[in-house]
Amino acid sequence: MNIQKAIDKLEHDLCHFLIGELCKKNPEKRGSPEMYKYKGLNIKVDPLSKAKEKTIFIRIGSLEAEFKIDSCEKNFGALSPEEERLVMIWLGQSENNYLLKSIFNQKISKKEISIVPFDLENYFSKI
């Protein structure tokens, strides 16, 4: 699984979820400039984190907050209260939570580069 593709998918899903939920009461908002801030939202994940509690950072406009993946609670930071509530609901959805957990559980392998002594370059390149 490509981690960047998974994060892009999560950003896209969260954007559409927020716009859909905020426009339920007032559908006229859907095309308003107010909704454009959700098109630029950003999710940051550190899959190499050694912390026991895995977290993600969500930035909407100039505001950013950190959320715990397992409990879907806000760790620190600030979004608007309505946005925080909707993000916690979104994190609680099983497909989103599963995808986030799979990012952290993925084994990241490092490629081994064989070291060839400079004296024996000709010998090893023929093999």
Side-chain angles (χ1 to χ4, degrees):
M1 168 178 32
N2 186 347
I3 293 175
Q4 189 57 46
K5 281 187 178 179
I7 292 172
D8 290 343
K9 181 189 179 324
L10 289 168
E11 288 175 351
H12 183 75
D13 288 348
L14 179 57
C15 170
H16 284 285
F17 178 78
L18 289 172
I19 291 172
E21 289 296 314
L22 292 171
C23 292
K24 275 185 178 176
K25 295 175 187 169
N26 188 1
E28 296 169 356
K29 279 181 150 182
R30 189 169 293 277
S32 71
E34 180 184 338
M35 294 294 131
Y36 282 109
K37 70 179 179 179
Y38 299 113
K39 295 288 184 184
L41 72 83
N42 190 3
I43 296 177
K44 287 190 278 183
V45 179
D46 183 13
L48 300 176
S49 173
K50 301 289 185 195
K52 184 177 180 182
E53 192 78 41
K54 303 299 182 192
T55 60
I56 63 168
F57 289 90
I58 297 178
R59 177 185 289 270
I60 300 174
S62 61
L63 302 174
E64 183 176 46
E66 180 183 29
F67 292 88
K68 297 176 184 177
I69 292 177
D70 292 329
S71 62
C72 303
E73 296 174 349
K74 183 178 76 166
N75 206 16
F76 68 86
L79 299 175
S80 74
E82 182 69 14
E83 289 169 348
E84 286 178 5
R85 184 182 70 78
L86 291 174
V87 167
M88 285 188 247
I89 291 170
W90 180 80
L91 283 172
Q93 293 177 347
S94 61
E95 62 190 43
N96 301 325
N97 203 300
Y98 175 77
L99 187 56
L100 283 167
K101 287 180 181 179
S102 69
I103 290 172
F104 284 102
N105 292 334
Q106 187 177 29
K107 301 287 184 206
I108 299 175
S109 61
K110 294 182 179 179
K111 294 181 180 177
E112 285 190 36
I113 301 173
S114 60
I115 300 174
V116 178
F118 64 92
D119 311 39
L120 303 173
E121 288 173 337
N122 293 335
Y123 176 75
F124 281 107
S125 63
K126 292 178 184 176
I127 296 177

PDB file of all heavy atoms in Angstrom, residues 2-3 5 16 33 42 50 62 81-82 94 98 102 107 109 114 116 126:
ATOM      1  N   ASN A   2       0.557   2.185  -0.847  1.00  0.00           N
ATOM      2  CA  ASN A   2       1.274   3.443  -0.905  1.00  0.00           C
ATOM      3  C   ASN A   2       0.688   4.380   0.149  1.00  0.00           C
ATOM      4  O   ASN A   2      -0.501   4.698   0.117  1.00  0.00           O
ATOM      5  CB  ASN A   2       1.130   4.039  -2.315  1.00  0.00           C
ATOM      6  CG  ASN A   2       1.967   5.278  -2.501  1.00  0.00           C
ATOM      7  OD1 ASN A   2       2.484   5.849  -1.544  1.00  0.00           O
ATOM      8  ND2 ASN A   2       2.081   5.708  -3.733  1.00  0.00           N
ATOM      9  N   ILE A   3       1.522   4.805   1.090  1.00  0.00           N
ATOM     10  CA  ILE A   3       1.052   5.628   2.204  1.00  0.00           C
ATOM     11  C   ILE A   3       0.510   6.962   1.699  1.00  0.00           C
ATOM     12  O   ILE A   3      -0.529   7.432   2.166  1.00  0.00           O
ATOM     13  CB  ILE A   3       2.183   5.840   3.233  1.00  0.00           C
ATOM     14  CG1 ILE A   3       2.509   4.505   3.896  1.00  0.00           C
ATOM     15  CG2 ILE A   3       1.794   6.867   4.267  1.00  0.00           C
ATOM     16  CD1 ILE A   3       3.682   4.556   4.836  1.00  0.00           C
ATOM     17  N   LYS A   5      -0.871   7.713  -1.183  1.00  0.00           N
ATOM     18  CA  LYS A   5      -2.183   7.530  -1.818  1.00  0.00           C
ATOM     19  C   LYS A   5      -3.269   7.358  -0.770  1.00  0.00           C
ATOM     20  O   LYS A   5      -4.378   7.872  -0.931  1.00  0.00           O
ATOM     21  CB  LYS A   5      -2.170   6.316  -2.749  1.00  0.00           C
ATOM     22  CG  LYS A   5      -1.540   6.574  -4.075  1.00  0.00           C
ATOM     23  CD  LYS A   5      -1.720   5.386  -4.980  1.00  0.00           C
ATOM     24  CE  LYS A   5      -1.126   5.655  -6.343  1.00  0.00           C
ATOM     25  NZ  LYS A   5      -1.272   4.513  -7.248  1.00  0.00           N
ATOM     26  N   HIS A  16     -15.078  15.850   1.633  1.00  0.00           N
ATOM     27  CA  HIS A  16     -16.464  15.653   1.194  1.00  0.00           C
ATOM     28  C   HIS A  16     -17.404  15.394   2.368  1.00  0.00           C
ATOM     29  O   HIS A  16     -18.556  15.824   2.348  1.00  0.00           O
ATOM     30  CB  HIS A  16     -16.541  14.511   0.179  1.00  0.00           C
ATOM     31  CG  HIS A  16     -16.039  14.909  -1.166  1.00  0.00           C
ATOM     32  ND1 HIS A  16     -16.763  15.715  -2.016  1.00  0.00           N
ATOM     33  CD2 HIS A  16     -14.868  14.660  -1.789  1.00  0.00           C
ATOM     34  CE1 HIS A  16     -16.071  15.928  -3.115  1.00  0.00           C
ATOM     35  NE2 HIS A  16     -14.905  15.302  -3.004  1.00  0.00           N
ATOM     36  N   PRO A  33     -18.061  30.489  -0.913  1.00  0.00           N
ATOM     37  CA  PRO A  33     -16.604  30.560  -0.693  1.00  0.00           C
ATOM     38  C   PRO A  33     -16.180  29.999   0.668  1.00  0.00           C
ATOM     39  O   PRO A  33     -15.039  29.593   0.840  1.00  0.00           O
ATOM     40  CB  PRO A  33     -16.299  32.054  -0.765  1.00  0.00           C
ATOM     41  CG  PRO A  33     -17.448  32.669  -1.481  1.00  0.00           C
ATOM     42  CD  PRO A  33     -18.632  31.800  -1.223  1.00  0.00           C
ATOM     43  N   ASN A  42      -5.508  19.330   5.219  1.00  0.00           N
ATOM     44  CA  ASN A  42      -4.292  18.532   5.159  1.00  0.00           C
ATOM     45  C   ASN A  42      -4.283  17.560   6.333  1.00  0.00           C
ATOM     46  O   ASN A  42      -4.607  17.933   7.448  1.00  0.00           O
ATOM     47  CB  ASN A  42      -3.081  19.461   5.230  1.00  0.00           C
ATOM     48  CG  ASN A  42      -1.789  18.763   4.945  1.00  0.00           C
ATOM     49  OD1 ASN A  42      -1.762  17.583   4.639  1.00  0.00           O
ATOM     50  ND2 ASN A  42      -0.706  19.495   5.056  1.00  0.00           N
ATOM     51  N   LYS A  50       6.922   5.968  17.404  1.00  0.00           N
ATOM     52  CA  LYS A  50       7.064   4.898  18.404  1.00  0.00           C
ATOM     53  C   LYS A  50       6.088   5.092  19.565  1.00  0.00           C
ATOM     54  O   LYS A  50       6.084   4.305  20.503  1.00  0.00           O
ATOM     55  CB  LYS A  50       8.495   4.882  18.961  1.00  0.00           C
ATOM     56  CG  LYS A  50       9.545   4.667  17.905  1.00  0.00           C
ATOM     57  CD  LYS A  50       9.525   3.265  17.385  1.00  0.00           C
ATOM     58  CE  LYS A  50      10.687   3.086  16.413  1.00  0.00           C
ATOM     59  NZ  LYS A  50      10.568   1.916  15.617  1.00  0.00           N
ATOM     60  N   SER A  62      -5.993  27.793   8.734  1.00  0.00           N
ATOM     61  CA  SER A  62      -4.851  28.107   9.591  1.00  0.00           C
ATOM     62  C   SER A  62      -4.920  27.387  10.937  1.00  0.00           C
ATOM     63  O   SER A  62      -4.051  27.567  11.777  1.00  0.00           O
ATOM     64  CB  SER A  62      -4.780  29.615   9.827  1.00  0.00           C
ATOM     65  OG  SER A  62      -5.961  30.048  10.476  1.00  0.00           O
ATOM     66  N   PRO A  81     -15.500  24.288  16.959  1.00  0.00           N
ATOM     67  CA  PRO A  81     -16.178  23.204  17.689  1.00  0.00           C
ATOM     68  C   PRO A  81     -16.983  22.276  16.774  1.00  0.00           C
ATOM     69  O   PRO A  81     -16.972  21.058  16.969  1.00  0.00           O
ATOM     70  CB  PRO A  81     -17.103  23.949  18.652  1.00  0.00           C
ATOM     71  CG  PRO A  81     -16.480  25.285  18.818  1.00  0.00           C
ATOM     72  CD  PRO A  81     -15.796  25.597  17.526  1.00  0.00           C
ATOM     73  N   GLU A  82     -17.640  22.818  15.776  1.00  0.00           N
ATOM     74  CA  GLU A  82     -18.417  21.997  14.849  1.00  0.00           C
ATOM     75  C   GLU A  82     -17.495  21.100  14.022  1.00  0.00           C
ATOM     76  O   GLU A  82     -17.790  19.919  13.811  1.00  0.00           O
ATOM     77  CB  GLU A  82     -19.260  22.900  13.935  1.00  0.00           C
ATOM     78  CG  GLU A  82     -20.136  22.154  12.963  1.00  0.00           C
ATOM     79  CD  GLU A  82     -21.281  21.411  13.622  1.00  0.00           C
ATOM     80  OE1 GLU A  82     -21.575  21.663  14.807  1.00  0.00           O
ATOM     81  OE2 GLU A  82     -21.878  20.558  12.955  1.00  0.00           O
ATOM     82  N   SER A  94     -15.747   3.104  10.581  1.00  0.00           N
ATOM     83  CA  SER A  94     -14.865   1.937  10.544  1.00  0.00           C
ATOM     84  C   SER A  94     -13.903   1.944   9.353  1.00  0.00           C
ATOM     85  O   SER A  94     -12.732   1.597   9.496  1.00  0.00           O
ATOM     86  CB  SER A  94     -15.686   0.654  10.554  1.00  0.00           C
ATOM     87  OG  SER A  94     -16.519   0.612   9.420  1.00  0.00           O
ATOM     88  N   TYR A  98      -9.959   2.011   9.980  1.00  0.00           N
ATOM     89  CA  TYR A  98      -9.193   0.852   9.502  1.00  0.00           C
ATOM     90  C   TYR A  98      -8.042   1.292   8.601  1.00  0.00           C
ATOM     91  O   TYR A  98      -6.915   0.800   8.727  1.00  0.00           O
ATOM     92  CB  TYR A  98     -10.118  -0.109   8.757  1.00  0.00           C
ATOM     93  CG  TYR A  98      -9.402  -1.271   8.137  1.00  0.00           C
ATOM     94  CD1 TYR A  98      -8.978  -2.339   8.919  1.00  0.00           C
ATOM     95  CD2 TYR A  98      -9.111  -1.297   6.779  1.00  0.00           C
ATOM     96  CE1 TYR A  98      -8.297  -3.416   8.364  1.00  0.00           C
ATOM     97  CE2 TYR A  98      -8.431  -2.361   6.215  1.00  0.00           C
ATOM     98  CZ  TYR A  98      -8.030  -3.416   7.015  1.00  0.00           C
ATOM     99  OH  TYR A  98      -7.347  -4.458   6.456  1.00  0.00           O
ATOM    100  N   SER A 102      -4.069   0.849   9.323  1.00  0.00           N
ATOM    101  CA  SER A 102      -3.241   0.081   8.400  1.00  0.00           C
ATOM    102  C   SER A 102      -1.989   0.866   7.990  1.00  0.00           C
ATOM    103  O   SER A 102      -0.957   0.271   7.699  1.00  0.00           O
ATOM    104  CB  SER A 102      -4.040  -0.335   7.170  1.00  0.00           C
ATOM    105  OG  SER A 102      -4.350   0.778   6.372  1.00  0.00           O
ATOM    106  N   LYS A 107       4.601  -2.496   7.523  1.00  0.00           N
ATOM    107  CA  LYS A 107       6.042  -2.689   7.715  1.00  0.00           C
ATOM    108  C   LYS A 107       6.780  -1.895   6.645  1.00  0.00           C
ATOM    109  O   LYS A 107       6.549  -2.081   5.461  1.00  0.00           O
ATOM    110  CB  LYS A 107       6.422  -4.160   7.587  1.00  0.00           C
ATOM    111  CG  LYS A 107       5.735  -5.060   8.564  1.00  0.00           C
ATOM    112  CD  LYS A 107       6.297  -4.878   9.931  1.00  0.00           C
ATOM    113  CE  LYS A 107       5.650  -5.876  10.871  1.00  0.00           C
ATOM    114  NZ  LYS A 107       5.614  -5.479  12.214  1.00  0.00           N
ATOM    115  N   SER A 109      10.086  -1.386   4.902  1.00  0.00           N
ATOM    116  CA  SER A 109      11.363  -2.074   4.728  1.00  0.00           C
ATOM    117  C   SER A 109      12.373  -1.146   4.060  1.00  0.00           C
ATOM    118  O   SER A 109      12.031  -0.351   3.201  1.00  0.00           O
ATOM    119  CB  SER A 109      11.179  -3.334   3.886  1.00  0.00           C
ATOM    120  OG  SER A 109      10.698  -2.985   2.620  1.00  0.00           O
ATOM    121  N   SER A 114      24.226  -3.395  -1.378  1.00  0.00           N
ATOM    122  CA  SER A 114      25.458  -4.157  -1.155  1.00  0.00           C
ATOM    123  C   SER A 114      26.654  -3.230  -1.363  1.00  0.00           C
ATOM    124  O   SER A 114      26.684  -2.419  -2.281  1.00  0.00           O
ATOM    125  CB  SER A 114      25.535  -5.347  -2.100  1.00  0.00           C
ATOM    126  OG  SER A 114      25.511  -4.884  -3.432  1.00  0.00           O
ATOM    127  N   VAL A 116      30.347  -2.822  -2.368  1.00  0.00           N
ATOM    128  CA  VAL A 116      31.372  -3.476  -3.171  1.00  0.00           C
ATOM    129  C   VAL A 116      32.679  -2.724  -2.955  1.00  0.00           C
ATOM    130  O   VAL A 116      32.748  -1.516  -3.171  1.00  0.00           O
ATOM    131  CB  VAL A 116      30.997  -3.452  -4.665  1.00  0.00           C
ATOM    132  CG1 VAL A 116      32.086  -4.087  -5.501  1.00  0.00           C
ATOM    133  CG2 VAL A 116      29.669  -4.132  -4.881  1.00  0.00           C
ATOM    134  N   LYS A 126      30.829  -8.238 -13.158  1.00  0.00           N
ATOM    135  CA  LYS A 126      30.714  -9.289 -14.166  1.00  0.00           C
ATOM    136  C   LYS A 126      29.791 -10.416 -13.710  1.00  0.00           C
ATOM    137  O   LYS A 126      29.280 -11.160 -14.521  1.00  0.00           O
ATOM    138  CB  LYS A 126      32.093  -9.873 -14.482  1.00  0.00           C
ATOM    139  CG  LYS A 126      32.986  -8.881 -15.183  1.00  0.00           C
ATOM    140  CD  LYS A 126      34.350  -9.467 -15.433  1.00  0.00           C
ATOM    141  CE  LYS A 126      35.248  -8.406 -16.060  1.00  0.00           C
ATOM    142  NZ  LYS A 126      36.622  -8.902 -16.228  1.00  0.00           N
TER     143      LYS A 126
END
